[in-house]
Amino acid sequence: MQNRKPSQLGGMSSAAAFNRGNSTYAEGVTTTTNGVGTADGGESKVYSNENCLTRCVAWGLEAVEEGFGSFGKFTARYPWTVILVSSLICGLCSIGFLRFETESRPEELWVLQGTEALTDEDYVSSVWNNRVRFNLYYATARGGVSITSPAAIQRLYDLHQRVLVINVSASSNTDEFPGKWDYERACLRTGDTCATTTVLDLFDYDEAVIASLTEEEIIRRINNDSFYVLESGREFSKDDIIGFDGDGNIRAYRGVYVLDEHAVERDGERTDVVGEPWEAEGIDIFRGDNSPLETFPQFASSWSEEFGRAIEQDSNSLTIAFIIIIV
């Protein structure tokens, strides 16, 4: 057979890579395929180029195309076989859901098991109860009322009294946590007093003093550091309870009620059987109409409530998606 140049055999150069029939063209190279007869009447493909990497890519693409093509033909010929085998594989891969358990403990979710950090955490928890529940609220004035007015302080005192009379039973494990739990019983104590810090500390929670307040007296106490002492004798900062705007004007109050933990661990979840029902009632108090104040609770269970609602919605969507994929 007469020798010819690659271009005479059907090869050609191109700036972009593409396929046409039995020929493969790649950028910057010349690739030639020549149909050679085989015993079964088909063609064998002979690639000739200067770049072995390009040749490998071409062979790989051809193998993928032929593989998908063959699978498509098989599926069209035996559709029920493919459906049954696919369903069986999905079912086998889903067996693990029979042992599915939820896990909400952060030290189990986010910390590598067996690390020294977890060992230290177990020791600290056994010696000191470092799992406490901080329940904060924020209060701003509305309706044209000044945040430093006697009406604002008196309203906070009323809310404080409502918090103190919250009285709940443990949601479970009542043998371990029997009876009713009010704030005095459930709180974290510093000495003989509960770890509570609010603007009412400036007035010693004295109902008579609060009832006779003037705005001048309120401002005087806010600006006098000698009043920033808790009943336990611990001093605290103005920034702990007062919020200022950029010009230094008083705009909001903050308070915190701290509960000791009364937790039960079961099935990968840690539940505070006293704190959570107590906080649910506290949230209702601060979410209500508290004119002339607008109050915003940020309790320990507020985060878990919001995250739990979001996770539940995502889980439902994920379940529906799996069902659609399997079907």
Side-chain angles (χ1 to χ4, degrees):
M1 182 179 66
Q2 182 179 357
N3 292 331
R4 299 181 182 179
K5 296 181 180 179
S7 60
Q8 294 174 311
L9 292 174
M12 62 184 298
S13 298
S14 173
F18 60 93
N19 295 326
R20 179 187 297 170
N22 293 328
S23 299
T24 302
Y25 304 94
E27 181 178 357
V29 299
T30 299
T31 304
T32 302
T33 62
N34 188 18
V36 180
T38 59
D40 59 0
E43 291 185 348
S44 64
K45 298 182 180 181
V46 180
Y47 292 88
S48 174
N49 56 58
E50 299 176 356
N51 191 326
C52 64
L53 183 60
T54 302
R55 186 165 59 251
C56 292
V57 170
W59 284 338
L61 290 174
E62 181 183 342
V64 171
E65 291 172 358
E66 292 180 354
F68 277 107
S70 299
F71 182 73
K73 292 177 182 179
F74 181 85
T75 302
R77 187 175 303 168
Y78 307 104
W80 287 108
T81 301
V82 174
I83 292 173
L84 291 176
V85 172
S86 299
S87 300
L88 178 62
I89 293 174
C90 290
L92 292 175
C93 292
S94 302
I95 290 178
F97 282 108
L98 297 175
R99 300 181 60 186
F100 178 79
E101 295 180 358
T102 60
E103 180 61 72
S104 62
R105 294 170 293 181
E107 67 273 16
E108 298 291 336
L109 287 173
W110 313 117
V111 182
L112 184 63
Q113 298 305 297
T115 58
E116 187 175 353
L118 287 181
T119 303
D120 294 343
E121 168 71 11
D122 292 339
Y123 171 76
V124 171
S125 298
S126 65
V127 178
W128 296 279
N129 180 14
N130 64 326
R131 295 188 180 123
V132 296
R133 302 179 69 87
F134 292 94
N135 301 294
L136 294 87
Y137 72 81
Y138 298 85
T140 59
R142 64 180 179 181
V145 176
S146 172
I147 191 65
T148 55
S149 66
I153 300 298
Q154 290 161 6
R155 187 56 171 158
L156 283 179
Y157 181 76
D158 293 339
L159 293 175
H160 175 71
Q161 293 302 313
R162 291 175 61 187
V163 168
L164 294 183
V165 298
I166 294 176
N167 207 14
V168 299
S169 299
S171 58
S172 65
N173 294 68
T174 52
D175 293 339
E176 185 178 356
F177 304 103
K180 292 289 188 177
W181 294 79
D182 60 7
Y183 182 64
E184 287 292 325
R185 185 182 181 191
C187 73
L188 176 70
R189 293 190 170 274
T190 55
D192 295 329
T193 61
C194 291
T196 307
T197 308
T198 74
V199 70
L200 300 174
D201 282 295
L202 301 180
F203 315 102
D204 298 325
Y205 297 91
D206 190 313
E207 184 176 6
V209 171
I210 292 173
S212 61
L213 283 174
T214 63
E215 187 163 1
E216 290 75 15
E217 177 63 13
I218 293 171
I219 295 175
R220 185 183 75 84
R221 292 189 180 227
I222 288 176
N223 292 325
N224 191 332
D225 292 341
S226 64
F227 288 101
Y228 288 83
V229 181
L230 298 176
E231 185 179 353
S232 63
R234 181 177 65 85
E235 296 183 357
F236 62 102
S237 168
K238 183 183 299 184
D239 293 333
D240 291 337
I241 58 172
I242 309 294
F244 300 90
D245 63 14
D247 297 325
N249 300 312
I250 300 172
R251 288 296 182 224
Y253 297 131
R254 177 173 64 181
V256 58
Y257 297 93
V258 185
L259 297 182
D260 203 352
E261 187 183 56
H262 306 85
V264 174
E265 294 189 8
R266 184 184 296 114
D267 297 331
E269 293 191 29
R270 181 185 296 113
T271 303
D272 194 310
V273 297
V274 172
E276 291 183 10
W278 187 95
E279 290 163 5
E281 295 196 19
I283 289 173
D284 289 340
I285 290 174
F286 286 101
R287 280 182 177 169
D289 182 7
N290 296 316
S291 299
L293 297 176
E294 187 171 8
T295 52
F296 308 90
Q298 190 180 27
F299 282 23
S301 57
S302 299
W303 294 103
S304 59
E305 178 184 346
E306 292 298 326
F307 286 140
R309 187 181 299 114
I311 292 172
E312 183 178 358
Q313 293 174 351
D314 292 342
S315 298
N316 293 337
S317 301
L318 185 61
T319 301
I320 294 172
F322 275 123
I323 293 174
I324 293 174
I325 291 173
I326 294 174
V327 173

